[in-house]
Amino acid sequence: MHFRKIVFKNYRQFRNAELVFGEPRTHDIHLIIGKNGTGKTNILNAINWCLYGDELHLHLDSQKLPIYNTATEGNLPRVTVELWLSREDGKKIAFGRERRSTDEVWVMIESSGGFERYSSPESFEKNVNRFIPKEIRSFFFFDGESLDTYFRNFQAVQGKINQLARIDVLEGMKKRFEDLLRDLSRGTDVTGELKAVQENIEKLEGLLAEYKKRIEKLQDEKTQLEEDIKSKEEILRDQPKVRELAVRLKNLEEQRKKVENDLKEKYEKKRKVLIQLAKVAYLGKALQKVLQLAREKRQQDELPPPVNVNLLKEALREEKCPVCQRIIDPVTRSNVENIMKQVEHSSLLANRLLALEQRLYTLKRGVETDVKLLQDLTKDIERLNENLKNLKNEIGDIKNRLSSCDVESIRRLSEELEEMKKIRDSRIEELGKLKAYRDSLEKKLREEEKKYDDLARKRQESEQKQRMYEICCKAKKVLVRTKERVLEEIQKEIEQVTREVFFRLLWKKESFKDVKVKQDYTIEVLDRDGRNCLGSLSAAERELLALSFTLALHSLSGFQGPLVIDTPLARVSDEHRENFAEALLEVSKSKQIVLLLTPAEFSEEVSRVLQPYAATIRWLRMSNDERETSFAKEPWL
Amino acid sequence: MLGLKDIPIIDIDEKDREVYDKLEKSEEVFHNLDWKDMFIIAVGLGVHKGLRKPIQKRYSGGFFRGSYLREEDEALLATAAVYAESEEVLCDEKKVIKIVEEYAHGGIHELLRWVESSPYETFEKDFEREILKLTEELLKNDETNI
């Protein structure tokens, strides 16, 4: 690919600039000349920023500045860099990056119908990788000074070569295989477990078959029993149910005994109540008379007794009146003693009559209660007698029924029937248990079968893994061998191209005999005597060797991108600059080269070599306020 | 309280003992009945029927002890005596006992006569019926008095 145009908008020094690359005639070389600080390196940075979003070669001064041009008005001006290129097939492709608050990228690809624009970051990255992948960009866009120190860090070079030759892809594949092998080696051997489950299944199947057989046998027995029961029930259908009748008879007899006992008890109670009532009832009139007498006495104030004999007794004992406390003289004492004799008799009578009255009232109240009790007892006795009568009737009936049939035969049949029913019930119970156990066995068997299927699948997977493991091992070996062969070939190719380019471009070919590239990519330049003279090469020779090596790497990578070198001649002494310029000119016959030169590098001698062939010569011109750079065709004087 | 419990022995006529035994054995209602209770029933029936007969010859062993009498028994016997004579007998326990012994003597023979003259298994029902009738009268009179 070749650069056709770079468009800058508000990018650092380049506020609104366009670098157009001229059409090459014989040599595809382009010269951009500018003093230090005018923005040469920022052209390299602009290319990196546009394609990869970073600025690898930013000077310390520029790092402090914003990316946008400081002369631009507005808080956040839009920064744009566009790279326009032409492909080998002549079609154009353009990459663009814009930054305002965030970065937006786009790629435009020319096709038969015009340009097509793709704005997704994925499309952009895909096309950038087709142009020059980020990992190897330092072999295409670099600072010329690095050519001088190119061979100081072979390890870094080796890493880059691996990326260039896609050895990293092989490494990645190898790592992937190793991961895969690790995963595959984790497979577990389930053969033992599978065998155990299979044995368990066989055992369960055996048990299940045995249970099914037992269930079938029990089922047959149950069916037979039911048929026998049915037949016996048929026989007994029209016969008295002797057993039930006997049981009923027994119950009735027990009830009868109880009722008789209850009756006896009630009769006894009733007898006692009746005797108690009889004792009072015959004396009813007498009782009424005594109560009447007591009432009359009370009305006549003879009850309770009008004289308190006790009070009189106290007066005589204490010899003073208990009421007025007057001392009782002998005359009074004699009078009191006479009164006492008279009243003692009437008082005893009244007191006894009073006591009798109270007891008679108590008796009468007792009569009321007893009458009620007697009535209740009579009712109870009637009810019990009725019950007893019914019971006796039923008992008699049952006895009659039992006496009219062949009790013994029916009882035997009934007992046989009961026995059969018991056996049948026990069979049903046993059947239930067996069926439950069978169901549980079936469930367990299903679980084991599922377990077996899972294990079988695991074993299959394991076997598959084993096969894959073996394949991966083989593939890894092939990969390692391939990598070794590729590395060997790369090393040979690099050595061959480096040697070829170096000797083609070298100005004193007789001084050196050969160039060797070792396996670790350390490089040796052998002098005429076959000694390694890398350390004694001039800066120009060293840079030429680095350039040859870089071009070899270009050839290796397959990416035919342009070469953009910042200050390529800075380290080259004056007497060799002309030689090195000629070498670059030679390279530009087959590859686009963009050289970012200082005026000192673009000396008269260099100018004499390069100018006649340069497709583009632009001078970086800085504005008076030093805030903007433009591309001029002529040097600024 | 009425002093009858203090009487040592209540007597019956010598001939009455046999009657009491007969009655105790002949009718369920009197089966295993205390002599005392049967004596009171005999007194009642005697009073009811006005059958007072003097004791010809006292039964030698005595019939039952006065101490067996409960208060309600005392009251019934005293009531019978007062009804037969007057309230004055309440002051004379021995008189009360003498009166009731004579009524018992009359009453127990009447009871036996009744039992023996009753058709089979009818006495008890008749007896109950009469007792209820008398009780009803007693309670009815009481209501009238109130």
Side-chain angles (χ1 to χ4, degrees), chain A residues 237-358:
Chain A
R237 182 171 295 160
D238 299 327
Q239 296 296 330
K241 293 177 179 172
V242 173
R243 191 178 166 76
E244 287 173 19
L245 286 174
V247 172
R248 176 71 182 151
L249 185 63
K250 195 181 168 191
N251 286 341
L252 289 171
E253 293 284 9
E254 281 170 5
Q255 282 179 46
R256 192 191 65 176
K257 275 181 193 167
K258 190 177 177 301
V259 171
E260 282 172 349
N261 283 337
D262 287 352
L263 259 176
K264 198 175 169 187
E265 203 177 303
K266 297 282 179 188
Y267 272 126
E268 184 58 24
K269 274 187 184 172
K270 187 178 173 183
R271 189 179 70 92
K272 284 181 179 170
V273 174
L274 195 60
I275 294 296
Q276 179 62 23
L277 280 172
K279 280 162 71 180
V280 183
Y282 282 122
L283 291 166
K285 281 183 183 169
L287 194 144
Q288 294 294 350
K289 185 189 170 186
V290 173
L291 290 176
Q292 179 60 33
L293 183 69
R295 273 196 293 275
E296 284 166 9
K297 293 269 181 194
R298 191 172 279 107
Q299 281 167 4
Q300 290 161 15
D301 289 334
E302 290 175 29
L303 278 182
V307 180
N308 190 337
V309 179
N310 290 333
L311 206 63
L312 293 173
K313 280 181 181 172
E314 190 186 341
L316 290 174
R317 192 174 59 247
E318 299 295 327
E319 295 181 343
K320 64 177 179 183
C321 176
V323 182
C324 65
Q325 301 299 312
R326 192 169 66 84
I327 299 297
I328 297 175
D329 53 33
V331 178
T332 312
R333 187 178 182 86
S334 174
N335 290 338
V336 171
E337 280 172 350
N338 286 334
I339 293 166
M340 266 191 66
K341 278 177 189 167
Q342 287 169 14
V343 300
E344 240 173 6
H345 175 75
S346 63
S347 182
L348 178 65
L349 180 65
N351 278 332
R352 286 198 169 170
L353 188 59
L354 201 61
L356 185 59
E357 183 193 29
Q358 284 170 0

Side-chain angles (χ1 to χ4, degrees), chain A residues 267-268 270-271 274-293 295 297 345 348-353 355-356 359-361 363-364 367-368 371 374-375 378, chain B residues 1-3 28-31 33 37 40-41 44-45 47-48 70-76 78-80 82-83 85 87-88 90-91 93 114 127-128 130-132 134-135 138-139 141-142 145:
Chain A
Y267 272 126
E268 184 58 24
K270 187 178 173 183
R271 189 179 70 92
L274 195 60
I275 294 296
Q276 179 62 23
L277 280 172
K279 280 162 71 180
V280 183
Y282 282 122
L283 291 166
K285 281 183 183 169
L287 194 144
Q288 294 294 350
K289 185 189 170 186
V290 173
L291 290 176
Q292 179 60 33
L293 183 69
R295 273 196 293 275
K297 293 269 181 194
H345 175 75
L348 178 65
L349 180 65
N351 278 332
R352 286 198 169 170
L353 188 59
L356 185 59
R359 283 179 199 166
L360 292 178
Y361 276 125
L363 275 168
K364 276 191 75 181
V367 167
E368 284 173 14
V371 167
L374 191 72
Q375 286 167 351
T378 306
Chain B
M1 189 67 184
L2 294 171
E28 187 70 21
V29 70
F30 302 127
H31 187 64
L33 195 62
D37 289 328
I40 294 170
I41 290 168
L45 189 61
V47 171
H48 181 64
R70 292 186 296 168
E71 286 189 347
E72 62 172 65
D73 300 331
E74 275 189 304
L76 288 169
T79 300
V82 170
Y83 181 73
E85 296 197 357
E87 70 270 25
E88 290 299 323
L90 289 175
C91 295
E93 297 87 1
W114 185 15
F127 180 71
E128 184 184 335
E130 184 167 76
I131 297 301
L132 282 172
L134 292 170
T135 320
L138 169 66
L139 296 175
N141 283 336
D142 191 44
N145 290 331

Side-chain angles (χ1 to χ4, degrees), chain A residues 200-260:
Chain A
N200 206 15
I201 286 173
E202 282 165 13
K203 194 177 155 191
L204 285 169
E205 280 172 343
L207 270 173
L208 196 60
E210 194 184 313
Y211 274 91
K212 280 181 177 171
K213 207 171 165 183
R214 280 172 67 185
I215 286 168
E216 203 177 331
K217 193 182 164 198
L218 276 172
Q219 196 79 44
D220 290 347
E221 279 179 27
K222 188 192 137 210
T223 311
Q224 185 59 48
L225 278 164
E226 277 171 349
E227 280 171 14
D228 293 349
I229 286 167
K230 201 175 167 187
S231 134
K232 281 206 163 39
E233 278 175 342
E234 200 71 34
I235 297 168
L236 287 169
R237 182 171 295 160
D238 299 327
Q239 296 296 330
K241 293 177 179 172
V242 173
R243 191 178 166 76
E244 287 173 19
L245 286 174
V247 172
R248 176 71 182 151
L249 185 63
K250 195 181 168 191
N251 286 341
L252 289 171
E253 293 284 9
E254 281 170 5
Q255 282 179 46
R256 192 191 65 176
K257 275 181 193 167
K258 190 177 177 301
V259 171
E260 282 172 349

